[in-house]
Amino acid sequence: MKEELIKLITISTETTGRDIMDGVHKEFINLKINIQNIVSITTDGAPNMVGKHNGFIKLFCNEISHPIINFHCIIHQEALCAKDSMKSLQKVMETVTKIVNFITSRALNNRQFAKLLEEVESQYSGLLMYNNVRWLSRGQVFHRFVELLEEVRLFLSDKSQDYPELNDLNWLNDLMFFTDFTAIYNDLNKKLQGRGQTVITMLIIIKFLKKKLKFFVKIYKMKT
């Protein structure tokens, strides 16, 4: 087996199933690749990709006149699972996001916080902002927030910002759990990427994670 990236293309118009189909088909023609040889396609499961009538997969099958094996990207499934499973800790995410935005999205606050970190000789220069497009980015956001928790408390106190959660043991327990939980998922995400990955290898990695999470959740419930 040979794994090779053929092409990255930009859809300059809309991203309907037809637009994606036309763009992909055009590039295969330019590269002189016979699309009749394609037997499988992996997508992110979006409606414009897997729609019953006008999705990319359906239109592609119509073009080549034979069925294909359609896979939902395993990394995307894992990200969706992580996002849905953490709804119970949404309030923690909201508080952390609010604090991070207060410090990082305002130029003066950002400079003053960076100065504070410099004065205490922190290894970090600031907090990380959460990117909603990449859900698992919150793992890095939480890790940095926890690492700078004392500095965040001090800065908010100087700014007369009242966040009693930062001294509430139950909330802090959820915060630490959330941080460890997202770190585990980030690690999984990295292991599922890269060249030479097989479905068997990835399934073994996921099964191992499921056992690890059961133990992890059991400990969390005992602490709460």
Side-chain angles (χ1 to χ4, degrees):
M1 294 180 63
K2 182 180 180 182
E3 185 175 346
E4 182 181 356
L5 176 63
I6 297 177
K7 183 87 175 190
L8 286 173
I9 65 173
T10 300
I11 307 297
S12 58
T13 55
E14 297 181 17
T15 55
T16 64
R18 171 54 64 184
D19 293 319
I20 297 172
M21 170 60 200
D22 291 343
V24 171
H25 193 193
K26 178 181 177 181
E27 289 303 324
F28 274 122
I29 292 175
N30 293 338
L31 295 168
K32 296 182 172 56
I33 297 176
N34 184 4
I35 63 174
Q36 296 296 325
N37 295 330
I38 295 177
V39 296
S40 174
I41 295 177
T42 300
T43 74
D44 63 358
N48 60 346
M49 299 299 293
V50 297
K52 185 176 181 179
H53 301 292
N54 297 308
F56 167 73
I57 299 295
K58 175 62 177 177
L59 297 175
F60 195 90
C61 288
N62 292 342
E63 183 67 28
I64 62 178
S65 300
H66 69 75
I68 62 169
I69 302 173
N70 177 28
F71 291 104
H72 186 171
C73 173
I74 195 169
I75 296 178
H76 187 253
Q77 290 184 63
E78 169 251 329
L80 291 176
C81 177
K83 184 175 182 179
D84 186 65
S85 65
M86 297 309 294
K87 287 181 179 179
S88 61
L89 293 171
Q90 190 62 35
K91 289 184 178 180
V92 177
M93 185 69 219
E94 290 173 356
T95 300
V96 172
T97 302
K98 189 180 297 184
I99 294 173
V100 170
N101 287 341
F102 173 77
I103 296 175
T104 60
S105 64
R106 304 182 185 186
L108 178 59
N109 286 351
N110 200 25
R111 289 195 301 270
Q112 291 176 339
F113 188 66
K115 181 65 175 177
L116 171 63
L117 296 180
E118 183 180 339
E119 290 174 355
V120 298
E121 299 182 349
S122 172
Q123 61 176 315
Y124 301 112
S125 60
L127 295 169
L128 298 176
M129 294 195 72
Y130 166 52
N131 178 4
N132 194 46
V133 176
R134 296 183 60 81
W135 186 88
L136 289 170
S137 70
R138 69 180 62 189
Q140 284 78 24
V141 174
F142 274 90
H143 176 75
R144 180 68 61 86
F145 186 86
V146 168
E147 289 289 308
L148 297 175
L149 186 57
E150 289 303 321
E151 289 81 0
V152 168
R153 284 193 184 114
L154 178 60
F155 185 79
L156 293 177
S157 177
D158 290 341
K159 291 290 184 178
S160 299
Q161 293 292 313
D162 185 26
Y163 283 94
E165 299 95 325
L166 298 182
N167 295 296
D168 182 277
L169 290 180
N170 289 327
W171 188 90
L172 290 173
N173 185 49
D174 289 342
L175 171 65
M176 300 305 173
F177 173 77
F178 207 163
T179 303
D180 290 341
F181 188 88
T182 51
I184 290 173
Y185 268 104
N186 283 348
D187 181 59
L188 172 66
N189 188 275
K190 292 177 182 178
K191 288 180 178 178
L192 294 177
Q193 299 181 45
R195 297 174 66 87
Q197 295 280 17
T198 66
V199 173
I200 295 175
T201 301
M202 289 190 286
L203 287 176
I204 291 174
I205 292 172
I206 289 177
K207 284 185 177 180
F208 176 75
L209 174 81
K210 287 172 67 177
K211 292 182 179 180
K212 186 176 182 179
L213 285 178
K214 285 181 180 179
F215 177 73
F216 189 71
V217 171
K218 185 181 295 184
I219 293 177
Y220 170 72
K221 288 181 178 179
M222 288 172 60
K223 289 183 177 180
T224 56

